[in-house]
Amino acid sequence: MTQQSQARYTWGGDEFLFIEIAEGMSLEANFISNSIANALEAKALDGVIDICPANASLLIRFNPDTLPPAELEQVARSLEAEVRASTRQVLETRIVEIPVWYNDPYTNETGARFRAGYHQRPEGNDLDYAAEVNNLADAAEFIKRHHESPWLVSMVGFVAGLPFLYQLVDREHQLEVPKYLSPRTDTPALTIGHGGCFSCIYSVRGAGGYQMFGVAAAPIFDPGQELADFADFMVFFKPGDIVKFKPVDEAEYKRIQAEVEAGTFTYRQAPVSFDLAAALADPEGYKATLLEALNGI
């Protein structure tokens, strides 16, 4: 996908400014989107109500009676120019370890209920199908490829707290799996899903069309803010976060669930500086640099 040299600015009614960085997802476009959003938030302009960065764009909701539209656009364009001109494109963020029970009975049972008429491959499960379409030996090899590389949270949305995750590997090695032929009416909460090149974690139970590979062991959406990781906000993930999946077995999954019930669970996480140029120049080497941050805690 060709990168646009300048974003496209359009208006939605009186209260929304939409900034399209590119027509398709790329690390460069996502970095620009998140950097503009962070810089705009730091300015704390009176009249800005919400800033919602996405895969290759961002949407700004504002009060035109407080902040004139022309002024907002001028600020946004200035921030875009600063981000594009910067010689050091670094995003201060964090890397988080997410425990996952792969090939679990909950997603397998759900997948079995929606095989006929919904799925491309009536036999096996979603992991078997994912391995097949990626020309891998079996589900175990797919799981290994899925958890060994970190993932970037490119945006949060669809339902409350759901992160879209983009694998930090070169395009040739990205895992890609088609969505279900027809969406399911049921998906277990905390399902690890995958559609196209994006992985995700379903924050709540509900409909969905992504392939299902396992379940995360701890919540990513806590409306009651009962766990320490949710003290500031009920949604755990932010755009720009980096995720490292960690395979766990049934016993470890249940142990973590008990910690969640007791209110004592906290995610393993560490601050990192995400360097766009380094990630693009040497994806494999930069992966090791990111993972060192988790290994050091």
Side-chain angles (χ1 to χ4, degrees):
M1 184 68 67
T2 302
Q3 181 74 21
Q4 295 172 194
S5 60
Q6 189 176 37
R8 182 180 295 114
Y9 289 70
T10 54
W11 300 95
D14 296 327
E15 298 182 345
F16 296 93
L17 173 60
F18 178 69
I19 305 174
E20 182 188 75
I21 309 301
E23 292 182 353
M25 167 69 189
S26 69
L27 281 181
E28 300 97 318
N30 190 250
F31 180 90
I32 293 170
S33 171
N34 282 322
S35 295
I36 294 173
N38 290 345
L40 185 59
E41 182 178 9
K43 281 188 172 293
L45 295 178
D46 286 342
V48 172
I49 299 170
D50 200 8
I51 306 166
C52 182
N55 290 331
S57 62
L58 66 151
L59 182 69
I60 304 166
R61 185 183 181 191
F62 68 103
N63 183 345
D65 294 330
T66 304
L67 179 61
E71 181 180 336
L72 174 60
E73 181 175 351
Q74 182 180 14
V75 170
R77 286 187 181 275
S78 175
L79 293 175
E80 180 196 352
E82 289 177 16
V83 170
R84 290 185 184 273
S86 175
T87 57
R88 184 174 183 268
Q89 295 187 319
V90 175
L91 189 67
E92 298 302 325
T93 183
R94 60 180 176 170
I95 184 168
V96 183
E97 184 178 84
I98 303 295
V100 177
W101 184 10
Y102 285 99
N103 213 3
D104 67 290
Y106 311 119
T107 57
N108 280 333
E109 185 276 332
T110 302
R113 285 194 282 121
F114 290 94
R115 220 87 207 141
Y118 290 83
H119 200 276
Q120 297 90 337
R121 192 176 188 270
E123 66 278 4
N125 63 14
D126 291 5
L127 276 166
D128 295 327
Y129 174 68
E132 180 184 290
V133 298
N134 282 276
N135 298 312
L136 302 177
D138 52 25
E141 184 178 352
F142 183 90
I143 291 171
K144 184 173 185 290
R145 288 271 301 274
H146 191 270
H147 76 75
E148 282 192 340
S149 295
W151 300 73
L152 175 74
V153 177
S154 59
M155 62 176 286
V156 178
F158 178 67
V159 294
L162 183 150
F164 285 81
L165 302 159
Y166 186 79
Q167 196 173 22
L168 291 175
V169 295
D170 59 87
R171 285 185 179 271
E172 182 182 345
H173 293 95
Q174 278 188 341
L175 299 171
E176 296 192 19
V177 188
K179 295 189 289 186
Y180 273 45
L181 294 175
S182 181
R184 301 176 303 275
T185 56
D186 191 22
T187 307
L190 299 177
T191 288
I192 305 300
H194 201 107
C197 69
F198 289 102
S199 195
C200 79
I201 307 173
Y202 285 83
S203 53
V204 295
R205 183 178 182 180
Y210 278 17
Q211 307 287 334
M212 299 179 292
F213 301 152
V215 287
I220 59 171
F221 177 55
D222 182 7
Q225 296 178 264
E226 297 174 359
L227 295 173
D229 288 321
F230 299 85
D232 296 328
F233 194 43
M234 66 181 70
V235 170
F236 180 68
F237 286 113
K238 305 175 184 67
D241 282 348
I242 296 169
V243 168
K244 170 61 174 67
F245 292 116
K246 176 190 176 183
V248 298
D249 58 15
E250 181 179 3
E252 179 68 1
Y253 173 85
K254 290 183 176 179
R255 186 193 67 76
I256 294 171
Q257 290 270 290
E259 286 189 5
V260 171
E261 287 295 319
T264 59
F265 176 82
T266 56
Y267 281 105
R268 290 185 73 234
Q269 55 184 292
V272 293
S273 298
F274 179 72
D275 188 318
L276 177 63
L280 292 172
D282 181 15
E284 193 64 24
Y286 193 64
K287 175 180 77 173
T289 301
L290 289 173
L291 298 182
E292 282 175 7
L294 272 180
N295 295 335
I297 61 175

